């Protein structure tokens, strides 16, 4: 397999970190509504803010990125987590420094209110609404706040958002629909939203898959990267680089990734990418925006191509881990079949299953461990942006570990002691290898 990632375009914005350490709650009434029913426990999600609610206690409040406007050149975005937890009466006002958030639980599953944030040189004033996330109150579903007890740290991945995947674009082939559905199902499991298929991306990916298989012999003879095209090879040329091919298909994007496999099937390619260190990155990335897929067979050669565009990340993006908390049936090992190949364990490949964690921004990991069900430490390779130039290039917010050798069936616990936004946190979760 091969991977190529273009440099991601970053717009120059002024950022104001909104980290609110204390909250004063002004309100009346109890946690129940006037009809005598309490709002639903679980995750509450809106475009402006999100929070969790458990037995009348509001926690994990995150203000989404908001455009902050002021006089002159003052401006940019503000947003971020609001620290602390507090009792949540049905009508409440939260006051912290320059922020005032007023809210009302209008039904079991809906809340709304106003927000006003003074960031010094600029301010935000507006309305907010939030809806309860279906399934997030059920402890044995991945959508619960602690993944049914499988996530045991002070911070948690996701949670899963039960979103309906968008419809495939007109003209999408059966394999393109299959690939899009496969990717959306994976992303729902790990706690990020779907990545809709796009007609131009499908077109670019399919054209490149066909070009590669048509000229596979010339690729092998010349040593040209499978991600590039050479017009002298002949028919089907659509652009030397993935960026040129996307532009030729009519897709304008400043950030895109391309992965390739040579398995002959959609499941083979998708699972093969997911099992790796680098190829899985765009599949799990919350900033992935739209995707295209192509599959071709010609003259005994076969190729699968997936092109994924991306948007700018947010401090409100979820933490994403794989295997996800509580996952079962995880393979015992991985062959190391990837190009570029990650650093091999001391004894060479195969190794244990690849474990990854992606943070909304670059986090400092102070301690990492992998233990079996008996609490025994499992020796492992550790990769991050500091010790792996490929990770630095592809996604510096992701960290990876894999056991030196394939592991036995059973439960395993990953523990990462990290510093996020200046605070010490623990990301800890378990998964199961085998049935």
């Amino acid at each position: 397999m091969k991977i190529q990632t273009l440099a991601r375009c970053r717009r120059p914005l002024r950022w104001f970190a909104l980290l609110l350490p204390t909250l004063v709650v002004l309100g009346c009434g109890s946690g129940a509504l006037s009809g005598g029913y309490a709002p639903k426990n679980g995750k509450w999600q809106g475009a402006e803010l999100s929070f969790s609610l458990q037995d009348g206690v509001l926690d994990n409040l995150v203000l989404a990125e908001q455009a902050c406007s002021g006089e002159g050149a003052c401006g940019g975005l503000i947003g971020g987590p609001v620290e602390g937890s507090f009792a949540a009466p049905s009508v409440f006002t939260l006051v912290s420094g320059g922020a005032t958030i007023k809210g009302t639980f209008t039904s079991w599953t809906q809340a709304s209110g106003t927000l006003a944030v003074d960031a010094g040189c600029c301010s935000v004033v507006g309305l907010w609404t939030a809806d309860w996330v279906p399934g997030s109150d059920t402890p044995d579903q991945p959508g619960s706040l602690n993944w049914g007890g499988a996530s045991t740290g002070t911070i948690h991945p996701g949670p899963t958002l039960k979103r309906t995947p968008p419809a495939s674009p007109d003209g999408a082939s059966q394999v393109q629909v299959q690939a899009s559905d496969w990717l959306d199902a994976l992303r729902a499991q790990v706690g990020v939203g779907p990545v809709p298929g796009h007609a131009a991306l499908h077109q670019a990916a399919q054209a490149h898959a066909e070009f590669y298989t048509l000229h596979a012999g010339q690729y092998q003879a010349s040593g040209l990267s499978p991600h590039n095209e050479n017009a002298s090879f002949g028919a089907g040329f659509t652009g030397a680089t993935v960026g040129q091919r996307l532009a030729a298909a009519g897709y304008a994007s400043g950030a895109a990734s391309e992965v390739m496999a040579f398995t002959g099937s959609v499941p083979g390619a998708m699972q093969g990418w997911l099992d790796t260190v680098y190829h899985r990155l765009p599949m799990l990335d919350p900033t992935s925006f739209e995707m295209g897929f192509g599959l071709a067979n010609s003259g005994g050669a076969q190729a699968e191509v997936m092109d994924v565009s991306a948007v700018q990340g947010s401090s409100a993006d979820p933490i994403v881990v794989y295997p996800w908390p509580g996952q079962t049936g995880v393979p015992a090992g991985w062959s190391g079949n990837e190009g570029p190949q990650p650093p091999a364990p001391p004894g060479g490949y195969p190794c244990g299953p690849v474990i990854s964690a992606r943070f909304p921004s670059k986090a400092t990991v102070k301690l990492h461990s992998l233990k079996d069900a008996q609490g025994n430490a499992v020796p492992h390779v550790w990769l991050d942006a500091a010790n792996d130039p490929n990770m630095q290039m592809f996604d510096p917010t992701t960290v990876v570990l894999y056991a030196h050798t394939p592991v036995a069936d059973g439960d395993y616990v990953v523990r990462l002691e990290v510093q996020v936004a200046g605070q010490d946190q623990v990301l800890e979760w378990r998964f199961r290898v085998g049935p």
Side-chain angles (χ1 to χ4, degrees):
M1 298 181 184
K2 302 290 182 181
I3 186 169
Q4 174 175 314
T5 303
L6 298 183
R8 293 193 171 188
C9 175
R10 301 294 187 190
R11 296 186 179 91
L13 294 172
R14 290 187 65 181
W15 287 80
F16 299 87
L18 182 66
L19 300 175
L20 310 179
T22 59
L23 291 170
V24 177
V25 182
L26 307 174
C28 59
S30 66
L33 300 171
S34 58
Y37 300 100
K40 287 273 195 178
N41 287 334
K43 177 76 173 178
W44 291 66
Q45 180 74 46
E48 301 80 19
L49 58 83
S50 63
F51 57 85
S52 60
L53 188 70
Q54 185 67 38
D55 299 330
V57 176
L58 198 153
D59 200 359
N60 299 322
L61 180 68
V62 176
L63 182 66
E65 290 178 355
Q66 308 283 328
C68 186
S69 59
E71 296 182 0
C74 174
L77 298 175
I78 61 173
V82 178
E83 299 175 8
S85 60
F86 43 89
S90 56
V91 180
F92 57 87
T93 301
L94 315 178
V95 181
S96 179
T100 301
I101 302 174
K102 298 182 179 181
T104 303
F105 289 100
T106 54
S107 76
W108 294 351
T109 58
Q110 290 184 327
S112 62
T114 62
L115 61 87
V117 182
D118 183 356
C121 77
C122 65
S123 61
V124 172
V125 177
L127 304 176
W128 66 268
T129 60
D131 296 318
W132 173 71
V133 178
S136 64
D137 63 334
T138 306
D140 60 351
Q141 291 189 4
S144 62
L145 296 177
N146 67 350
W147 297 72
S151 176
T152 51
T154 60
I155 51 177
H156 305 283
T160 297
L161 301 179
K162 306 294 185 179
R163 298 179 181 175
T164 301
S168 298
D170 293 340
S173 69
Q174 182 177 354
V175 296
Q176 288 168 341
V177 173
Q178 183 184 6
S180 182
D181 289 347
W182 200 104
L183 181 60
D184 284 340
L186 166 68
R187 290 173 66 86
Q189 287 284 7
V190 300
V192 290
V195 176
H198 189 282
L201 288 171
H202 282 325
Q203 176 184 332
Q206 182 62 35
H208 184 54
E210 292 174 359
F211 184 85
Y212 177 84
T213 56
L214 184 63
H215 304 291
Q218 291 163 287
Y219 272 98
Q220 294 171 6
S222 66
L224 181 67
S225 166
H227 291 284
N228 296 331
E229 292 186 7
N230 188 328
S232 68
F233 284 2
F237 176 82
T238 55
T241 67
V242 59
Q244 293 171 354
R245 295 192 293 271
L246 296 186
Y251 191 87
S253 173
S257 303
E258 180 176 272
V259 292
M260 293 183 67
F262 313 95
T263 71
S265 73
V266 172
M270 302 298 278
Q271 187 63 52
W273 292 326
L274 183 60
D275 288 341
T276 66
V277 172
Y278 307 123
H279 285 63
R280 72 168 54 172
L281 298 175
M283 304 176 78
L284 304 178
D285 192 339
T287 71
S288 293
F289 182 56
E290 293 172 321
M291 63 85 73
F293 186 88
L295 182 151
N297 294 275
S298 178
Q302 51 201 18
E304 301 86 47
V305 177
M306 184 167 67
D307 293 330
V308 183
S309 66
V311 294
Q312 183 170 322
S314 162
S315 61
D317 288 339
I319 297 169
V320 181
V321 302
Y322 189 86
W324 64 78
Q327 183 175 348
T328 60
V330 176
W334 176 55
S335 66
N337 181 22
E338 182 174 22
Q341 188 177 66
Y349 288 107
C351 64
V354 175
I355 303 163
S356 63
R358 186 191 189 278
F359 297 89
S361 59
K362 191 173 180 180
T364 301
V365 180
K366 297 181 175 181
L367 181 68
H368 49 86
S369 67
L370 174 65
K371 295 183 178 181
D372 63 20
Q374 289 73 45
N376 300 312
V378 179
H380 57 272
V381 173
W382 172 260
L383 299 181
D384 59 20
N387 69 1
D388 182 20
N390 288 320
M391 195 62 70
Q392 172 65 40
M393 176 173 59
F394 295 143
D395 187 353
T397 67
T398 293
V399 297
V400 169
L401 63 151
Y402 40 93
H404 288 173
T405 62
V407 297
D409 287 356
D411 291 335
Y412 291 85
V413 176
V414 184
R415 181 181 175 91
L416 305 180
E417 297 182 12
V418 301
Q419 187 173 70
V420 181
Q423 291 197 350
D424 291 334
Q425 304 281 6
V426 175
L427 177 64
E428 183 176 80
W429 78 99
R430 70 171 186 268
F431 63 88
R432 184 170 181 80
V433 170

